[in-house]
Amino acid sequence: MCKQEEKIWYTAMDDTTPYSGKVVYLADRRGIKAYGQGHCLKCNNGDGIYWKKTWNGAFPDTCWSCGGKGKRSVKLYTLKQVKAQIKREEKNHSRYIDKVALGNEIYALKRIAYNHSEKAVAQRAKRLSWKKEKIQTKNNSEFVGQVKDRGTFDLTLTFRKGFDTDFGCSFLNTLKDAQGNVFTYWGNSFLDVELDSTITVKATIKDHKEYDGTKQTVINRPKIIEGVS
């Protein structure tokens, strides 16, 4: 019975149909192995055609793995080997599931520990303060002056960010006066001014715009006429 079972060959562990073709025995350094003819895995359903992908689309070509035959030499397994492979795959899958579950649990514990740390509490307080300040700025900011007027303003630099343009790097500057009115300026005149510093500038009102619900006074050609404080 045991000898009869070993004469039944299978092409893969996921193929439950016994192999009925010609069996060839080849020797390697681990012993004598049985080989048969099976479907080529590189072809399109074993038809000997390999679809070559190019920039202009996909074109049919002769499969380089089987030479266009649609069949190739495959290793054969006994029923005992197939069962061992299935058992090994199930064990590996179970280990993978346990590893993922353990990783998720460790990550959740780390997040809980971080959320109760001083750094996380400080970040949440800072973010909440920023949101409150943004809402307050949106409600308090009003347009200042008339377009094309040139005047003197006491402003605090609150934000600066550089952007690459066709003419080089330009900086967006956001400023605020004592009444909470928001000013914006595109240019490089405030590069020597540190954030949260207050300056007195003489500038031309270029436009009045509203961004994200906040009224902003756009200034142009600013000139610092009093030192940074």
Side-chain angles (χ1 to χ4, degrees):
M1 184 68 181
C2 183
K3 291 183 180 180
Q4 185 178 2
E5 183 181 73
E6 289 184 355
K7 292 182 181 180
I8 302 177
W9 299 101
Y10 299 84
T11 57
M13 68 175 183
D14 56 351
D15 188 1
T16 57
T17 304
Y19 175 74
S20 58
K22 182 180 178 181
V23 180
V24 178
Y25 296 92
L26 300 176
D28 58 15
R29 60 181 182 179
R30 295 186 176 181
I32 298 177
K33 306 295 182 182
Y35 292 87
Q37 289 293 316
H39 288 291
C40 178
L41 301 178
K42 301 294 182 181
C43 298
N44 183 23
N45 298 323
D47 55 6
I49 297 176
Y50 177 77
W51 287 88
K52 194 174 184 179
K53 294 182 180 179
T54 66
W55 64 272
N56 199 26
F59 298 92
D61 195 3
T62 302
C63 179
W64 51 268
S65 181
C66 64
K69 298 178 182 178
K71 299 283 186 179
R72 69 181 184 88
S73 179
V74 295
K75 188 178 178 180
L76 300 178
Y77 303 93
T78 63
L79 182 60
K80 183 178 179 180
Q81 291 173 327
V82 170
K83 289 181 178 180
Q85 289 182 25
I86 294 174
K87 186 176 181 181
R88 183 167 57 251
E89 287 298 321
E90 290 177 349
K91 188 175 181 179
N92 291 338
H93 181 70
S94 178
R95 287 179 177 176
Y96 173 76
I97 295 298
D98 293 341
K99 183 179 180 180
V100 171
L102 180 60
N104 292 337
E105 186 174 354
I106 292 175
Y107 176 77
L109 293 174
K110 286 183 178 179
R111 291 300 304 175
I112 292 174
Y114 175 77
N115 290 335
H116 289 81
S117 65
E118 294 182 1
K119 183 178 179 180
V121 172
Q123 286 183 344
R124 285 197 297 271
K126 184 178 180 180
R127 186 164 57 248
L128 182 61
S129 175
W130 175 82
K131 288 182 178 180
K132 289 181 178 180
E133 183 180 356
K134 186 176 181 180
I135 294 173
Q136 185 177 3
T137 301
K138 181 183 294 187
N139 295 333
N140 294 343
S141 182
E142 297 291 343
F143 295 133
V144 177
Q146 300 295 326
V147 177
K148 295 185 179 180
D149 287 350
R150 188 166 180 84
T152 303
F153 310 96
D154 294 327
L155 303 175
T156 301
L157 182 64
T158 59
F159 175 82
R160 178 173 56 216
K161 185 176 182 180
F163 295 88
D164 291 328
T165 67
D166 294 337
F167 305 98
C169 185
S170 185
F171 291 85
L172 170 62
N173 303 269
T174 303
L175 308 99
K176 193 184 299 184
D177 63 9
Q179 290 73 37
N181 301 314
V182 176
F183 290 72
T184 59
Y185 162 67
W186 278 93
N188 305 329
S189 297
F190 297 151
L191 292 181
D192 295 333
V193 180
E194 296 183 0
L195 291 177
D196 299 325
S197 297
T198 302
I199 55 177
T200 301
V201 298
K202 190 173 184 179
T204 302
I205 298 176
K206 182 180 179 180
D207 198 1
H208 288 153
K209 290 185 178 180
E210 188 171 325
Y211 176 75
D212 197 20
T214 303
K215 295 180 180 179
Q216 299 180 349
T217 301
V218 183
I219 60 175
N220 194 22
R221 295 188 292 130
K223 182 179 179 181
I224 301 176
I225 60 177
E226 194 168 324
V228 179
S229 60

